[in-house]
Amino acid sequence: MTVEEIIREFRGEEGEAASRPEWQAMFWDLCQEAIRLCMELNSNYHTPEEIRQIMGRLTGREVGEGFSLFPPFYTDFGKNIAIGRNVFINSGCHFQDQGGITIGDGALIGHNVVLATVNHALEPVKCRRNRYAPIRIGENVWIGSNATILPGVTLGDWAVVAAGAVVTKDVPPMTVVGGVPARVLRTISEGEAR
């Protein structure tokens, strides 16, 4: 079984493959690896280059040039995160990445931001089965402290999410949103974005 086969199950509603013992065993091992790497990242001082290396091991792919992160950082899976160039992630962020998280070049992510790609079925007959939907963060997006981005949300290029917002639906490019649930507060003019 491969990481790609595990990730394939994280599309839409949880399927039958997730009930197979070999799938569950590998998934559990990958989650434990994510916990171990987050503990390694968060328990000691690391140079910026060491942080990039740990994040590369955590995500299973090269982390973009110019990446920086202030620990602590938490994720429950790790292998379904793609990080662009010149991305900054501030301390205390929690990424629930099973459904997939893509972060575009130049994104700024504030303190204690939660990116959640998993939800659960409400119907009792489905026994809280997982539902997965990816989060896509465009280029030069700014997410303020304590914001939460929910499954399936896309943040367009140059969008801004105000501190404390709960984003439940897509945000167009060059738009500022805030509140619970988040709503459009204003648009950004072309001159402001450059």
Side-chain angles (χ1 to χ4, degrees):
M1 177 142 303
T2 67
V3 172
E4 289 75 26
E5 289 174 302
I6 297 293
I7 290 174
R8 218 179 350 249
E9 194 64 17
F10 299 140
R11 295 191 181 118
E13 190 169 281
E14 189 173 73
E16 295 304 314
S19 63
R20 294 194 334 245
E22 65 274 13
W23 189 94
Q24 291 177 355
M26 185 167 182
F27 170 69
W28 184 253
D29 288 346
L30 289 168
C31 290
Q32 293 306 301
E33 178 185 26
I35 292 168
R36 182 181 54 75
L37 288 168
C38 285
M39 291 296 291
E40 178 183 336
L41 177 69
N42 298 334
S43 64
N44 291 308
Y45 170 77
H46 298 284
T47 65
E49 183 54 37
E50 290 169 336
I51 289 173
R52 283 185 66 201
Q53 290 171 359
I54 294 169
M55 287 299 288
R57 289 175 22 230
L58 181 60
T59 62
R61 56 185 81 175
E62 189 174 330
V63 175
E65 174 186 317
F67 171 80
S68 60
L69 176 139
F70 289 172
F73 173 82
Y74 306 94
T75 187
D76 59 355
F77 185 67
K79 298 294 189 251
N80 213 0
I81 302 171
I83 301 170
R85 293 173 297 140
N86 301 312
V87 168
F88 173 70
I89 300 172
N90 218 324
S91 62
C93 290
H94 295 253
F95 288 12
Q96 183 189 45
D97 68 290
Q98 294 161 32
I101 295 171
T102 303
I103 304 171
D105 295 347
L108 305 171
I109 300 176
H111 291 93
N112 303 315
V113 166
V114 173
L115 304 180
T117 66
V118 183
N119 206 341
H120 300 281
L122 298 176
E123 306 86 353
V125 71
K126 294 187 178 181
C127 297
R128 300 289 187 248
R129 186 177 299 142
N130 289 341
R131 289 187 179 152
Y132 307 96
I135 292 173
R136 294 177 182 90
I137 299 171
E139 293 186 3
N140 302 298
V141 168
W142 177 17
I143 303 174
S145 296
N146 297 302
T148 299
I149 314 300
L150 295 181
V153 168
T154 295
L155 305 177
D157 294 349
W158 293 98
V160 176
V161 175
V166 176
V167 184
T168 61
K169 57 187 176 182
D170 292 353
V171 177
M174 299 182 60
T175 302
V176 179
V177 297
V180 180
R183 62 182 176 74
V184 173
L185 300 177
R186 65 178 283 224
T187 56
I188 303 166
S189 71
E190 186 66 33
E192 291 176 299
R194 301 282 176 224

